[in-house]
Amino acid sequence: MDVALLSRLQFAWTVSLHILFPTMTIGLAVLIATWEGLWLKTRDPRYLQLAKFWIKPFAITFGSGVVTGIVLSYEFGTNFSEFSHIVGPVLGPLMTYEVMTAFFLEAGFLGVMLFGWQRVGEKLHFFATVVVAIGTVLSAFWILAANSWMQTPAGYAFEGGQYVPVDWFKVIFNPSFPIRLVHMLLATFLTANFLVAGISAWFLLKGYDREFAKRGLSLSLWFILILAPLQAFVGDEHGLEVKEHQPVKLAAMEGIWDKVEHSPALRLFAIPDEKTETNHLEVKIPYLASIILTHSLHGEVQGLKSVPAQDRPPLLPVFFAFRVMVGLGVLMVLVAFFANWQRRGARLYENKWLLKLLVLMTPAGLIATVAGWWVVEIGRQPWLVYGLVRTEQVVSKLPAERVAISFALFVVTYLALLTAFLHFYRKLVRKGPPDMAKLESQVIGMKAPGYALNWVRELKKEGF
Amino acid sequence: MELFYFLLLGFAILMYVVLDGFDLGLGILYPALPEQHDRDMMMRSVSHVWDGNETWLVFGGVILMGAFPAAYATLLPTLYLPICLMLISLIFRGIAFEYRFKATSSRQWWDLAFGLGSSVAAFCQGLMLGSLVQSGGEQLLTPFSILTAFAVMAGYALLGATYLVVKTSGALQDKAKRLVKPLLALVIIAMVAVSLWNFLAVPSVHTRWMSNIGWLWPIPFITAVIAFALFKSLKHSEVAPFYCAVALFVMGFIGLVVGLFPYLVPGRLSLFDAAAPRQSLTFLLPGVLIFVPIILAYTLWGYRIFRGKVHDFEEGY
């Protein structure tokens, strides 16, 4: 087997599974901080119940994110050593800042957030939760700055065989960074809210604590109502940015072979064929791509044929992943409007079909995010740094069987990790929310002497 | 400035080795402490700090990439298999923290994941160190590198046992105390063996020590004093043995660096050859100067909040 291909597959595999975890934790951290803040403000114990329930799935997700993330920080060097050598001066400092301002922050305060309920006061605990949430958002900031630089490099020079930074502001705030960051953060918030909505809906269907489920569902649906249309708008803006800086990627997303000088149509479905350079089974909507991509009826779009075949990305995964992402996005907007419309007359909590739909939509955000990530990362090929560094040039010169062994090990390890994660996630969800009566006595008892002891005895009985 | 980043890299590695050392050490000690209740305590004593400790590993990695990209690009492919194996072991032991307490029927598997994962990760780290010192990473499995691998495991186990003395009481503390002495003996033997071997077999290390012995002699001397202090302090103090074990690690580390300086990849790449361009180093500088002290401050604060003994009813979320 080819080392370059093996290394790329290994990276694709590890990054695709890793991204699932931070996508959930960034959004959930912000939600948990919000609920805890609302609890402190209103003293409504339902908010505390929400925070306390979700902190458990959050914890296992976070742990999985940490261990899979460490792998990525070393894979740049092990499998793409030439890459880390020639762009290390630019990307290394960005990632160092990520570790210093985000990873340490999250790890430092996570202990207090998870285990500090009896060790610190409630305000300090809230502070720790907020810091963890900020840490997760900051990590998104830096890693997207690094990733965006690879998509739309700026502020650099090429000296002595290395890319060196010239203007740090331009390196960080490269052309595609702001929109990409917003798009990704919205994706994580949507993911977390669909998770909460879906599991709350499941609680309602299964007859768990109704008030808890209603509160969770109601809040998440309000968020989704704001976030889903906003994401559609931001995604559209992002499309314009891609058209400007990475036209070939856009052509792959849209399945456009020839340059269309006048009013490109939107392909709802097609099977692109790289050999004949055409599409089969096309379903097109006239003018629509023109409106979306150029915001005019008579726009112009570059085609794939404008560059030689070896400069085009693998077409099928980009084309279909893009359709999965956009399709789910549209579905999210529709669900958001329909569900919130059902609030009238409190049908929201009674409509079994809607609840079942929401349960089905639980992983929607995750699937859309991974699909979007594929569009971004596969769509950028054959470049690792767009227009500057080709992927196959920077792969480590390793014996193929060594990479094959590691790849096999990573496949087995990550499958085990994912199985365990799903198993325990399911277990935590089925256990249901913490008992309200107990929670209220705890809140009151927090200042009473001997409180901590009783509380932890209760916990022990529960098996924590 | 290159020197500053060299010191920073050294500091990151040392922080990692000491901090993750004690929680990896607990996993290495697992076979010696088979009781479920003891293992519960061991896990709880570090469950709030382990991922902070591992973050130093990531920090070391990104500093190496940002400040010494040439060394990063040379070392990592050379050490490909032990790095991959270490990462995979760290995955298994890391998720064991999350799942062990939530498991009912699968608990023994999580025990295995934690124990074996910690041991293999430590072994791989020692193997890399040994191979690096001896041959710049060229030869992986040599008698010397296997010796350093076991030396690192013994050192981590000593850190873990002394940490356990600090964090526990009663029967478990007694068991941990009983483990300290044999582990200390093992560590001293390993340190002497690795140092002598290194001294005799690597000519550059030999010359470095022999020509500077006038001011380098305190390093082995202080190390010996610390080892003796650790032994003595066992009777009357709970925390002193841990600090002594940490100091042993610091001395061992200094001893190694003295022999290698200024090489990052021994015999091949010095810190000056491998350094990143000025612009990268200056961009990082203010961040390091501001954030590293802050990180140390809140890390310390975290340890203070969870100071005291681990009790069986605490630390659930």
Side-chain angles (χ1 to χ4, degrees):
Chain A
M1 273 277 265
D2 176 25
V3 186
L5 185 66
L6 282 170
S7 283
R8 286 174 59 191
L9 284 175
Q10 177 175 309
F11 195 81
W13 168 253
T14 46
V15 80
S16 294
L17 282 163
H18 167 72
I19 196 180
L20 295 171
F21 303 114
T23 304
M24 287 190 271
T25 45
I26 296 170
L28 263 184
V30 174
L31 277 181
I32 291 171
T34 311
W35 293 325
E36 209 181 323
L38 283 171
W39 168 61
L40 283 178
K41 195 167 185 303
T42 63
R43 289 288 157 186
D44 181 344
R46 288 281 168 207
Y47 289 119
L48 180 65
Q49 197 187 11
L50 273 172
K52 285 225 161 186
F53 171 75
W54 281 99
I55 220 168
K56 292 171 194 169
F58 171 80
I60 63 171
T61 316
F62 193 94
S64 309
V66 170
V67 291
T68 51
I70 296 176
V71 173
L72 294 179
S73 68
Y74 278 85
E75 255 179 332
F76 292 120
T78 51
N79 293 79
F80 301 93
S81 59
E82 273 310 299
F83 173 72
S84 55
H85 180 231
I86 63 178
V87 300
V90 177
L91 295 185
L94 291 180
M95 285 158 68
T96 310
Y97 269 98
E98 180 184 20
V99 178
M100 290 192 298
T101 61
F103 289 174
F104 275 119
L105 204 63
E106 295 169 59
F109 287 84
L110 184 78
V112 179
M113 175 186 177
L114 296 183
F115 304 105
W117 289 100
Q118 303 94 57
R119 298 261 178 170
V120 296
E122 52 193 36
K123 285 204 178 114
L124 193 51
H125 188 275
F126 174 59
F127 175 74
T129 311
V130 170
V131 171
V132 170
I134 292 174
T136 61
V137 172
L138 280 175
S139 71
F141 176 93
W142 288 109
I143 203 67
L144 279 157
N147 182 274
S148 299
W149 187 84
M150 289 156 72
Q151 307 278 349
T152 52
Y156 64 89
F158 190 68
E159 284 167 18
Q162 285 179 313
Y163 287 92
V164 297
V166 176
D167 181 342
W168 276 110
F169 190 80
K170 281 188 184 151
V171 168
I172 298 172
F173 293 95
N174 58 77
S176 68
F177 170 61
I179 191 83
R180 211 183 285 277
L181 176 66
V182 174
H183 194 48
M184 184 68 208
L185 285 179
L186 284 174
T188 74
F189 298 152
L190 269 171
T191 300
N193 278 296
F194 269 101
L195 215 58
V196 174
I199 288 172
S200 301
W202 187 80
F203 282 156
L204 280 173
L205 285 169
K206 293 287 170 182
Y208 282 75
D209 186 340
R210 271 189 79 77
E211 290 308 311
F212 170 83
K214 280 162 80 174
R215 180 68 60 92
L217 183 60
S218 171
L219 287 170
S220 60
L221 285 176
W222 284 125
F223 280 125
I224 290 168
L225 182 65
I226 302 164
L227 293 169
L230 191 62
Q231 181 70 310
F233 171 75
V234 171
D236 178 53
E237 291 292 312
H238 191 12
L240 296 183
E241 178 275 312
V242 175
K243 179 176 181 293
E244 192 186 334
H245 295 104
Q246 299 174 301
V248 181
K249 183 197 274 188
L250 186 88
M253 285 153 66
E254 296 290 343
I256 296 171
W257 289 98
D258 297 292
K259 181 176 177 181
V260 190
E261 287 174 355
H262 205 70
S263 317
L266 185 83
R267 282 150 186 81
L268 273 186
F269 183 82
I271 299 175
D273 186 336
E274 295 187 33
K275 284 207 183 70
T276 60
E277 303 193 332
T278 48
N279 295 332
H280 306 297
L281 303 170
E282 275 190 337
V283 183
K284 293 198 275 193
I285 303 179
Y287 293 110
L288 195 55
S290 180
I291 297 169
I292 293 175
L293 296 171
T294 65
H295 290 193
S296 87
L297 274 176
H298 306 292
E300 181 185 301
V301 175
Q302 191 178 333
L304 280 162
K305 285 185 193 168
S306 62
V307 293
Q310 73 265 22
D311 286 351
R312 298 174 200 159
L315 202 52
L316 284 175
V318 178
F319 184 81
F320 284 111
F322 181 63
R323 262 137 204 83
V324 169
M325 177 185 75
V326 173
L328 281 170
V330 172
L331 192 62
M332 287 181 197
V333 175
L334 293 177
V335 167
F337 285 120
F338 178 65
N340 282 288
W341 177 63
Q342 289 280 298
R343 282 179 193 274
R344 299 187 317 155
R347 273 176 296 176
L348 175 57
Y349 309 113
E350 310 300 331
N351 186 338
K352 283 225 159 54
W353 290 108
L354 175 63
L355 294 178
K356 277 180 189 162
L357 177 66
L358 285 169
V359 173
L360 280 179
M361 294 278 287
T362 310
L366 281 175
I367 299 169
T369 306
V370 174
W373 199 249
W374 285 9
V375 174
V376 173
E377 299 302 292
I378 302 175
R380 148 177 70 163
Q381 301 298 329
W383 304 101
L384 214 48
V385 180
Y386 207 75
L388 299 181
V389 182
R390 290 180 82 96
T391 310
E392 75 253 24
Q393 294 169 336
V394 292
V395 179
S396 302
K397 289 166 190 67
L398 292 161
E401 71 272 7
R402 212 176 287 181
V403 187
I405 294 170
S406 68
F407 184 33
L409 284 174
F410 278 116
V411 169
V412 174
T413 306
Y414 278 53
L415 284 179
L417 173 78
L418 200 63
T419 314
F421 175 77
L422 289 174
H423 170 74
F424 285 101
Y425 207 96
R426 186 167 156 269
K427 205 168 167 179
L428 286 175
V429 168
R430 290 173 76 94
K431 205 162 137 44
D435 188 39
M436 193 63 183
K438 209 183 291 166
L439 206 61
E440 278 189 334
S441 69
Q442 285 164 17
V443 176
I444 300 161
M446 193 168 278
K447 286 177 190 108
Y451 148 77
L453 212 63
N454 286 324
W455 189 75
V456 279
R457 275 191 195 127
E458 294 291 337
L459 269 186
K460 200 187 173 190
K461 265 185 231 152
E462 285 177 17
F464 279 98
Chain B
M1 189 137 71
E2 287 87 352
L3 212 57
F4 170 78
Y5 281 98
F6 183 73
L7 289 176
L8 182 68
L9 180 67
F11 178 69
I13 296 173
L14 193 60
M15 283 298 279
Y16 171 73
V17 166
V18 167
L19 291 177
D20 215 26
F22 71 72
D23 64 52
L24 284 165
L26 294 186
I28 299 170
L29 291 176
Y30 248 37
L33 296 159
E35 263 181 56
Q36 279 303 322
H37 179 262
D38 291 349
R39 291 182 170 187
D40 284 356
M41 296 292 96
M42 290 162 83
M43 287 296 248
R44 287 206 165 103
S45 71
V46 288
S47 54
H48 57 285
V49 291
W50 72 271
D51 69 345
N53 296 346
E54 266 184 34
T55 307
W56 288 96
L57 180 66
V58 185
F59 189 54
V62 291
I63 293 236
L64 192 62
M65 178 178 171
F68 304 104
Y72 186 79
T74 313
L75 282 177
L76 270 69
T78 316
L79 301 169
Y80 189 80
L81 282 181
I83 287 179
C84 289
L85 201 58
M86 174 188 80
L87 293 171
I88 286 169
S89 309
L90 289 178
I91 289 181
F92 278 112
R93 74 173 295 264
I95 56 173
F97 279 107
E98 308 293 336
Y99 297 142
R100 189 179 175 281
F101 291 104
K102 297 173 185 73
T104 39
S105 56
S106 60
R107 179 164 286 202
Q108 81 243 32
W109 291 106
W110 296 114
D111 276 347
L112 185 70
F114 183 66
L116 198 62
S118 304
S119 298
V120 174
F123 186 84
C124 289
Q125 288 170 8
L127 204 62
M128 290 190 264
L129 176 71
S131 133
L132 204 61
V133 168
Q134 192 186 31
S135 64
E138 289 290 316
Q139 293 157 304
L140 199 57
L141 276 174
T142 63
F144 178 75
S145 65
I146 292 171
L147 173 70
T148 44
F150 283 114
V152 166
M153 281 179 75
Y156 284 175
L158 178 68
L159 277 175
T162 49
Y163 179 79
L164 217 49
V165 173
V166 178
K167 295 301 280 185
T168 59
S169 52
L172 178 56
Q173 194 190 35
D174 291 340
K175 286 182 203 169
K177 273 185 180 164
R178 275 200 292 278
L179 284 170
V180 173
K181 268 184 211 168
L183 283 172
L184 178 63
L186 211 57
V187 168
I188 293 171
I189 294 170
M191 276 180 104
V192 171
V194 169
S195 308
L196 274 182
W197 195 327
N198 194 18
F199 176 76
L200 295 173
V202 185
S204 61
V205 175
H206 185 89
T207 10
R208 170 70 47 83
W209 278 89
M210 287 320 283
S211 50
N212 295 295
I213 196 69
W215 57 278
L216 287 180
W217 67 268
I219 296 176
F221 178 72
I222 295 173
T223 313
V225 171
I226 293 169
F228 185 68
L230 200 166
F231 179 73
K232 283 307 242 183
S233 66
L234 260 178
K235 280 203 182 67
H236 53 84
S237 171
E238 287 185 340
V239 289
F242 177 66
Y243 289 121
C244 287
V246 171
L248 269 185
F249 260 86
V250 177
M251 295 313 294
F253 189 75
I254 293 176
L256 266 175
V257 174
V258 163
L260 295 179
F261 186 84
Y263 283 99
L264 284 173
V265 185
R268 282 199 280 168
L269 213 54
S270 82
L271 68 108
F272 301 103
D273 305 329
R278 281 262 126 176
Q279 298 96 314
S280 304
L281 300 183
T282 31
F283 174 60
L284 261 181
L285 198 62
V288 169
L289 294 178
I290 295 169
F291 289 113
V292 172
I294 297 177
I295 290 164
L296 291 173
Y298 63 64
T299 305
L300 208 65
W301 172 75
Y303 276 92
R304 266 189 68 79
I305 284 182
F306 292 97
R307 68 186 177 275
K309 305 285 180 189
V310 189
H311 297 291
D312 43 342
F313 50 74
E314 277 185 80
E315 326 298 10
Y317 55 83

